[in-house]
Amino acid sequence: MENTEKKKVILSGIQPSGAFTLGNYVGAIKNWAKLQDDYSCLYMIADMHAITVRQDPAKLRRNTLEAYAAIVACGVDPENSVAFIQSHVPTHGMLNWLLACNTQFGELSRMTQFKDKSAKHADDVNAGLFTYPVLMAADILAYNADLVPVGVDQKQHLELTRDIAQRFNQRYGELFTLPDGYIPPQGAKIMSLSDPTKKMSKSDENQNSCVYILDDKDTIIRKFKRAVTDSDSCVKYAEGKDGINNLITIYSVVTGKSVEDVEREFDGKGYGDFKLAVGEAVADHLAPVREKFNDLMKNKDYLVSCYKRGDETAFKISSRIVSKAYHKAGFVDR
Ligand code: TYM
């Protein structure tokens, strides 16, 4: 990373809890790649967050390496950004405890993602699931990140991060930067293809609801052809047309065309033609990602060397900030 002092700092993360969806790509990772020339970027695989729901250990290890390869395949450049694995950088856990002692039970109880996830995993409402947003705050504050590129579902966690940072600064003296979200104007919430009132999610049991970034062309086209829309036939962005709005957004993001241009392009054409065009455009857009991912997975030594370098740099940067936080909180210096 060059000019670390001059550039603003970005941090973001993604859980290795399965194959990445088009939602993860459009809402977050696509922007990670775009931002790395103008900012000092840190991107991490949030494996510690992933174990808040039950994971098979061997599968988690495999998913973590694949997730790392996937972010690189999507354009994160480990030479230019600090790309690392969360559990390899112990400062995150260290700061997590300090911040947990400065976060209220009531604040965490209000997190909608906790409510959703605890309902979904009622047999395992563990303490980590509850305190998950504190670890996310530690991830961000350990680097004094200015900007956090995420999809809209992470907005509440980001607001909590700001509250925790502000409280810490008031109690112990100025240390933490209050981070802003970088939520893309378009595609911050890609919806499920089978139920467009719901977010597209990795954990959805219905495979047709999600397009995965590593799906092959035929699969992607088939999923878009089956996408649930309405009984109208006019390709126009309008209130109440969740399915079509979602497809227009996706098409617009992957082709770079404005919504108006998309509407003009499909004026007089039906939903069938449009769904096929969206499927083809997404498949073409993702083809190089899939190819690069397959190449990277053939060269695991390269991936290991990249994350080791990223881990070390991340540890160096965060150690400085976390040591200051420990000092301010009254721990005796080591
Ligand atoms: P995760 O792994 O659930 O999702 C990774 C990113 O993808 C975005 N996203 C979406 N965006 C648009 N449409 C969708 N359907 C969609 N689904 C997911 C998410 O908003 C996210 O940006 N807690 C985080 C990981 C994390 C993190 C962090 C993020 C851990 N520490 C620090 C930022 C900063 C999470 O579970 O993301």
Side-chain angles (χ1 to χ4, degrees):
M1 269 204 323
E2 286 166 29
N3 294 335
T4 310
E5 301 78 28
K6 290 191 207 115
K7 293 181 178 174
K8 286 199 165 186
V9 176
I10 279 190
L11 179 128
S12 199
I14 186 161
Q15 294 190 58
S17 45
F20 294 166
T21 68
L22 186 63
N24 296 131
Y25 177 75
V26 170
I29 318 172
K30 187 171 181 287
N31 301 311
W32 294 7
K34 204 177 77 184
L35 295 162
Q36 58 193 343
D37 287 334
D38 297 327
Y39 295 87
S40 278
C41 296
L42 299 121
Y43 296 126
M44 58 162 212
I45 306 303
D47 54 347
M48 289 163 75
H49 276 102
I51 62 161
T52 55
V53 299
R54 221 25 88 237
Q55 300 284 343
D56 171 65
K59 212 163 149 191
L60 178 62
R61 258 188 292 276
R62 199 170 55 243
N63 283 345
T64 301
L65 193 68
E66 287 186 359
Y68 193 89
I71 64 167
V72 176
C74 289
V76 168
D77 175 5
E79 312 286 334
N80 195 12
S81 295
V82 182
F84 67 99
I85 297 177
Q86 185 185 31
S87 66
H88 293 184
V89 185
T91 38
H92 292 237
M94 288 167 67
L95 186 57
N96 174 54
W97 180 251
L98 191 49
L99 299 183
C101 297
N102 287 281
T103 307
Q104 296 301 305
F105 179 87
E107 291 179 298
L108 293 172
S109 309
R110 285 194 287 277
M111 295 294 116
T112 53
Q113 210 166 70
F114 169 70
K115 290 184 204 165
D116 293 348
K117 283 200 178 171
S118 52
K120 201 164 167 194
H121 302 277
D123 57 335
D124 184 25
V125 184
N126 62 74
L129 191 64
F130 186 63
T131 60
Y132 172 118
V134 181
L135 179 59
M136 184 163 157
D139 299 335
I140 298 166
L141 301 180
Y143 301 88
N144 264 340
D146 298 287
L147 216 53
V148 183
V150 283
V152 88
D153 62 332
Q154 296 299 321
K155 205 166 161 225
Q156 199 186 23
H157 292 159
L158 224 52
E159 281 158 8
L160 179 67
T161 300
R162 287 173 65 92
D163 291 344
I164 296 172
Q166 198 160 26
R167 182 173 310 134
F168 186 98
N169 289 349
Q170 272 163 3
R171 276 191 187 152
Y172 302 110
E174 278 304 310
L175 175 64
F176 293 127
T177 304
L178 305 196
D180 286 314
Y182 177 95
I183 295 176
Q186 236 193 342
K189 192 173 184 187
I190 297 296
M191 310 308 277
S192 152
L193 296 187
S194 50
D195 177 358
T197 61
K198 269 179 27 195
K199 184 186 81 160
M200 184 182 282
S201 165
K202 292 186 202 113
S203 55
D204 202 316
E205 272 134 35
N206 181 352
Q207 295 286 304
N208 287 323
S209 71
C210 270
V211 168
Y212 297 102
I213 62 170
L214 301 173
D215 277 346
D216 61 41
K217 184 165 186 165
D218 290 348
T219 307
I220 294 176
I221 291 177
R222 179 171 45 78
K223 287 179 178 177
F224 277 106
K225 276 188 181 163
R226 286 191 189 165
V228 169
T229 44
D230 49 68
S231 55
D232 196 5
S233 62
C234 169
V235 180
K236 274 227 169 312
Y237 200 98
E239 193 152 344
K241 291 178 47 145
D242 297 327
I244 275 299
N245 294 348
N246 191 36
L247 297 185
I248 292 178
T249 301
I250 293 171
Y251 188 72
S252 164
V253 170
V254 298
T255 60
K257 295 175 185 169
S258 70
V259 169
E260 295 72 32
D261 283 347
V262 178
E263 289 173 347
R264 251 192 304 277
E265 183 179 343
F266 291 93
D267 191 19
K269 295 186 183 143
Y271 283 177
D273 288 343
F274 180 53
K275 287 182 186 176
L276 180 62
V278 182
E280 282 179 341
V282 170
D284 290 347
H285 186 86
L286 292 176
V289 170
R290 195 158 154 251
E291 202 177 315
K292 183 147 187 217
F293 174 84
N294 290 333
D295 284 348
L296 285 164
M297 287 308 289
K298 284 183 206 136
N299 192 354
K300 296 206 175 116
D301 290 347
Y302 170 72
L303 292 172
V304 172
S305 71
C306 290
Y307 72 63
K308 280 193 171 167
R309 200 173 47 232
D311 298 345
E312 264 174 46
T313 312
F315 182 62
K316 222 191 276 169
I317 300 171
S318 54
S319 291
R320 284 199 296 271
I321 296 166
V322 174
S323 300
K324 281 187 194 160
Y326 266 37
H327 179 84
K328 280 182 181 290
F331 293 159
V332 172
D333 295 332
R334 285 208 279 176

